[in-house]
Amino acid sequence: MKISVVLLFLFFPIFLTLSSAVPSSSSPSVNNSTCPVDLNYVLRLPWNSSACQNFHPSDSVDDTRRSDCCGTLLSLIGIGLARRLKQTSMFNLPDLRTSNSCLHDFQSKLSSLSLPDYLTSFCFDLLQLVVSPDVCVKIQTIPDWIAKLGQTMPLNQGCKPDLTDLTLCGACMSAGFQVQKELTGIDGNSSHARNCFRFAILYAAGIVNEFGPESNGAMTCIFGISVYPSVDSSGNGRHQALVFGLTGASVADFGLAVNGR
Ligand SMILES: *[C@@H]1O[C@H](CO)[C@@H](O)[C@H](O)[C@H]1NC(C)=O
Ligand SMILES: *[C@@H]1O[C@H](CO)[C@@H](O)[C@H](O)[C@H]1NC(C)=O
Ligand SMILES: *[C@@H]1O[C@H](CO)[C@@H](O)[C@H](O)[C@H]1NC(C)=O
Ligand SMILES: *[C@@H]1O[C@H](CO)[C@@H](O)[C@H](O)[C@H]1NC(C)=O
C-alpha cells in the first residue's frame, strides 16, 4: 500500500520572512565563535535535498529566500534550534557571532553533501537566528512564552503524538495556527506573524512532541521537510510522503488576514 499524501503547504515563507525584519547583509567580518548546536543530523537524517542541488538564486533576495531550497534549509536548521530550545529555553541563538558560526557549520555539512557552497549566504540573513525582543511579542525564552500563552494550549496536546498520522498532523497544524493567531494578536504588529509562527514550530517540535524534532513525524509534519522513505520499512504503507508542515499556503493566507486588519 503506497500512500502518497502530499499536502504541500509551502511552509517556506514562514521562517523566511523573519529575515525581512532585519537588514540584509552578508558581511564575513563577523568574528567566529563555536556553534552550540550539533548539526550532525544534517548528514544523518534522510531529508530530500533535491531542491538545493540545482539552486539558482533569484534577482530578488526575498524571492530567493522563499525558494524551496531556502525553505528546506530554514526548516532543517530549525531541527537543531528546536533541540536547543529544549536544552536552553532560548528560541534563538545568543548573538551574531554564534549565529555566524552555526551558519558556517551548517554550510560545511551541506557542502559535504555535495550541495553548493554558497547556500547559507543566499538563504539566511545574518541576524535571522539571533535572539531579539523584536521578533514575536518580545518572546525570547520558554518562560516568556508561558507568560504570554499560559500552559493549557491545544498545541501542548495536539502536537504531542506521532505526527506521521495524517489526522494527528492536521490537529497539530491547526493548533499551531491558533497559537500563531493568538500571539500575533497580542503582539499587534502584523509583520511579526511569521516570526510567531516560527516560534510555534520550534516549540511544537522541541518542547511538545514526545518523539522530538528529529522524528519522522516532526520533520514531515511540523517542519514540512520532504524525507526519503526509510529503507528498513517493508512496504507496509509506513513511508508516506507526508509533507504537511505547520507552514505554508495557509500561513500566507493568514498573514494576509492579519495584514488586512
Ligand atoms: C513592526 O515590526 C517591524 C519588524 O520588526 C518593525 O520594523 C516595525 O517598526 C514594527 N512596527 C511597529 C508599529 O512597531
Ligand atoms: C575578533 O576577535 C579578536 C579577539 O577575540 C579581536 O581582536 C578582533 O578585533 C575581532 N574582530 C572583529 C571583526 O570583531
Ligand atoms: C571563520 O569563518 C569564516 C567564514 O565565515 C571561515 O572561512 C573560517 O574557516 C572560520 N574559522 C574558524 C576557525 O572557524
Ligand atoms: C524530493 O523532492 C523533489 C522536489 O524537490 C521531488 O520531486 C521528489 O519527488 C522528492 N523525492 C522524494 C523521495 O520525496
Side-chain angles (χ1 to χ4, degrees):
M1 175 169 65
K2 186 176 175 193
I3 307 168
S4 196
V5 189
V6 182
L7 297 176
L8 209 126
F9 278 71
L10 300 169
F11 61 99
F12 309 120
I14 293 85
F15 285 97
L16 299 183
T17 30
L18 187 58
S19 56
S20 51
V22 286
S24 173
S25 134
S26 52
S27 155
S29 65
V30 182
N31 245 331
N32 301 349
S33 65
T34 311
C35 176
V37 183
D38 177 0
L39 293 167
N40 284 314
Y41 67 86
V42 172
L43 305 178
R44 194 173 66 237
L45 297 177
W47 65 284
N48 180 349
S49 65
S50 64
C52 291
Q53 277 156 18
N54 299 301
F55 176 74
H56 297 295
S58 318
D59 291 341
S60 141
V61 174
D62 281 350
D63 286 350
T64 300
R65 290 187 178 150
R66 284 166 198 271
S67 66
D68 287 356
C69 172
C70 291
T72 300
L73 296 186
L74 279 157
S75 289
L76 195 60
I77 203 167
I79 293 174
L81 294 176
R83 204 178 47 212
R84 190 170 181 278
L85 172 65
K86 181 160 194 172
Q87 290 160 352
T88 67
S89 158
M90 300 287 294
F91 276 93
N92 269 334
L93 296 169
D95 52 39
L96 192 52
R97 282 175 55 188
T98 310
S99 168
N100 189 50
S101 68
C102 289
L103 289 176
H104 183 255
D105 281 8
F106 191 42
Q107 179 63 61
S108 306
K109 308 288 184 217
L110 299 173
S111 297
S112 69
L113 294 171
S114 304
L115 295 170
D117 286 327
Y118 44 78
L119 288 174
T120 57
S121 55
F122 277 106
C123 291
F124 293 83
D125 185 287
L126 273 181
L127 292 173
Q128 191 168 353
L129 306 176
V130 179
V131 74
S132 151
D134 190 29
V135 178
C136 170
V137 217
K138 298 189 163 53
I139 291 174
Q140 303 182 66
T141 63
I142 297 291
D144 297 342
W145 171 276
I146 290 169
K148 302 293 177 194
L149 289 171
Q151 289 276 18
T152 54
M153 303 170 302
L155 196 71
N156 287 358
Q157 293 306 319
C159 296
K160 203 169 181 173
D162 178 2
L163 299 173
T164 52
D165 179 304
L166 182 57
T167 310
L168 298 179
C169 174
C172 169
M173 203 180 77
S174 60
F177 288 134
Q178 194 178 321
V179 164
Q180 182 210 28
K181 196 169 176 179
E182 206 173 316
L183 286 173
T184 311
I186 305 172
D187 188 303
N189 186 338
S190 60
S191 64
H192 289 170
R194 289 168 197 281
N195 302 340
C196 289
F197 202 70
R198 176 176 173 265
F199 280 8
I201 288 172
L202 294 179
Y203 188 86
I207 306 296
V208 177
N209 188 261
E210 59 189 9
F211 300 90
E214 293 186 17
S215 66
N216 209 275
M219 280 181 76
T220 54
C221 177
I222 300 177
F223 290 107
I225 296 171
S226 163
V227 300
Y228 292 114
S230 62
V231 212
D232 60 1
S233 83
S234 43
N236 58 1
R238 200 58 191 149
H239 37 96
Q240 3 183 318
L242 183 58
V243 184
F244 214 156
L246 269 180
T247 40
S250 346
V251 174
D253 291 344
F254 176 67
L256 289 179
V258 169
N259 289 335
R261 301 208 282 177

